Amino acid sequence: MSALPDETLRKILVQIQQTAVQSQRSLNLTKQQSTAKERERRIVQLTISEISSVGCDVNLYKGVGKMFVMVPQKTMEQELRAQEKELTDEISSLNKKSKYLEKQFNDAQARLKDIFHHAPGQ
């Protein structure tokens, strides 16, 4: 590493630091999104269990803009299950992205440690 000029070394350090900071920010954002999706999914699951527990003779209404429309129970359950599956897929995708960003952040930190560890004593 000592063969590199100081300016080049500085550019490399800045680039690695920027990668680490960007990865950390993206990781925090991804975790927040995942938490929000998890909360949404839980609400949908609770709604499905409530709908399943009521009798078939109960009228169900779905909000559409500023009004409500009566919806058959089967249709409502199908829509909610589809929404639950979509949320589960999104959560899975966010978890994969989170793992990638975590790995990227750890790699950047490891490179910084290597550079400072192998730097000549100053």
Side-chain angles (χ1 to χ4, degrees):
M1 281 270 176
S2 62
L4 292 175
D6 286 342
E7 189 61 35
T8 306
L9 187 59
R10 181 191 311 238
K11 286 181 182 178
I12 291 171
L13 284 173
V14 167
Q15 184 179 9
I16 293 172
Q17 286 175 332
Q18 287 175 344
T19 301
V21 169
Q22 183 180 3
S23 296
Q24 187 66 31
R25 284 183 184 153
S26 296
L27 181 62
N28 289 338
L29 181 63
T30 303
K31 285 182 179 181
Q32 289 173 350
Q33 289 173 339
S34 180
T35 302
K37 295 289 183 187
E38 192 68 48
R39 190 178 318 112
E40 263 184 76
R41 185 177 72 158
R42 184 67 184 136
I43 291 170
V44 169
Q45 288 173 339
L46 289 171
T47 306
I48 290 171
S49 67
E50 285 293 317
I51 289 174
S52 299
S53 68
V54 299
C56 293
D57 58 341
V58 175
N59 293 331
L60 299 176
Y61 294 90
K62 178 180 179 182
V64 180
K66 292 184 178 181
M67 62 183 202
F68 295 94
V69 177
M70 192 166 99
V71 179
Q73 186 173 358
K74 290 266 190 215
T75 305
M76 181 74 84
E77 280 189 50
Q78 289 172 349
E79 288 175 4
L80 289 172
R81 292 202 189 282
Q83 187 179 358
E84 181 186 15
K85 183 184 181 320
E86 183 180 318
L87 286 169
T88 302
D89 293 344
E90 289 175 8
I91 290 169
S92 174
S93 173
L94 286 170
N95 286 339
K96 287 178 186 176
K97 183 178 178 181
S98 179
K99 286 180 184 177
Y100 169 76
L101 290 169
E102 215 170 292
K103 182 182 180 300
Q104 189 178 21
F105 175 71
N106 290 337
D107 288 348
Q109 277 192 327
R111 283 185 277 164
L112 283 173
K113 285 180 184 175
D114 285 347
I115 288 172
F116 287 118
H117 184 349
H118 296 297
Q122 294 177 353

